[in-house]
């Protein structure tokens, strides 16, 4: 199905569920390398063509400092799944406030200095809010999302993308080892525990 068809389905759901304009929260979930950022941009463009305001939230903008997610004494996959974000803070300061709050203040991670900078974001009262990120359907967050898209993409294609992309992790072998220890085990846990395909409103076949 194309982005245009997804947009049509999304707008139809929105119009049926709400008689008054309001913020509508759309999740774009998927494992590493599935194409979440690309789909978010394409969906924003399609919604804007339909004369809607759109704001994208990238969950990776809101991770915690390195010392809180590395070297904690836990397995690396556990650190990635449970400690990469302040799960409770993201719930209370982002998800709980998305539908109606006029002011939202969030921590933004600044990679060059490994620090978090708190900044406000301003959202129009009737905008579509697209939230893209991995593990988006974890139990603490799922109920706040009105329409959840899950990007289903083969492990082989995702692995090729992330291993080519994440050169900051070292050489080819270092990258592969890191993904095997940290990222892919966490993704396996998510798939087993949450069933993101079964929990999504729409499954988008990645390409």
């Amino acid at each position: 199905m194309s982005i245009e068809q997804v947009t049509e389905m999304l707008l139809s759901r929105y119009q049926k569920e709400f008689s008054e304009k309001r913020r509508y929260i759309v999740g774009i979930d998927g494992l590493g390398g599935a194409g979440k950022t690309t789909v978010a941009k394409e969906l924003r463009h399609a919604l804007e063509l339909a004369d809607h305001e759109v704001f994208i939230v990238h969950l990776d903008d809101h991770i915690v400092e390195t010392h809180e997610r590395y070297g904690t004494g836990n397995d690396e996959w556990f650190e990635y799944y449970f400690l990469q974000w302040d799960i409770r803070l993201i719930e209370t300061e982002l998800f709980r406030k998305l539908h109606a709050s006029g002011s939202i203040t969030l921590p933004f991670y600044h990679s060059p200095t490994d620090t978090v900078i708190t900044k406000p974001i301003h959202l129009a009262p009737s905008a579509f809010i697209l939230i893209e990120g991995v593990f988006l359907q974890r139990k603490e967050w799922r109920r706040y999302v009105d329409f959840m898209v899950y990007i289903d993409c083969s492990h082989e294609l995702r692995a090729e993308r992330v291993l080519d992309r994440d050169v900051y992790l070292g050489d080819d072998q270092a990258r592969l080892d890191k993904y095997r220890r940290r990222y892919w085990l966490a993704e396996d846990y998510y798939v087993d525990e949450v069933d993101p395909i079964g929990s999504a409103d729409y499954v988008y076949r990645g390409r």
Side-chain angles (χ1 to χ4, degrees), residues 3-12 14-15 21 41-54 126-128:
I3 285 292
E4 289 74 19
Q5 290 171 306
V6 175
T7 305
E8 183 178 347
M9 178 186 299
L10 179 60
L11 291 175
S12 175
Y14 172 66
Q15 291 161 0
K21 288 186 176 181
K41 290 177 180 178
E42 292 176 349
L43 186 55
R44 176 178 62 187
H45 179 67
L47 288 168
E48 288 175 341
L49 287 177
D51 202 28
H52 291 278
E53 290 193 66
V54 183
S126 60
F128 278 80

Side-chain angles (χ1 to χ4, degrees), residues 108-206:
F108 284 78
Y109 180 67
H110 186 246
S111 180
T113 59
D114 187 30
T115 57
V116 167
I117 303 168
T118 301
K119 296 188 290 187
I121 60 174
H122 304 286
L123 305 173
S126 60
F128 278 80
I129 312 299
L130 310 184
I131 305 178
E132 67 92 1
V134 69
F135 310 144
L136 190 55
Q137 297 186 74
R138 63 171 82 235
K139 67 182 189 310
E140 295 88 352
W141 300 342
R142 176 63 180 91
R143 65 185 178 276
Y144 300 103
V145 177
D146 298 310
F147 189 87
M148 183 69 72
V149 177
Y150 181 79
I151 305 175
D152 186 25
C153 186
S154 72
H155 174 77
E156 292 76 18
L157 180 55
R158 292 190 299 102
E160 179 181 347
R161 287 173 177 171
V162 296
L163 293 175
D164 286 344
R165 178 185 69 193
D166 294 348
V167 294
Y168 68 94
L169 295 177
D171 62 20
D172 290 351
Q173 190 60 50
R175 278 175 262 164
L176 181 59
D177 291 344
K178 180 70 169 288
Y179 266 87
R180 284 174 172 168
R181 292 193 314 268
R182 190 174 185 91
Y183 303 118
W184 290 336
L185 287 178
E187 291 177 350
D188 289 345
Y189 175 85
Y190 179 61
V191 169
D192 291 341
E193 290 293 315
V194 175
D195 181 22
I197 290 179
S199 301
D201 295 297
Y202 179 77
V203 178
Y204 185 90
R205 303 301 173 185

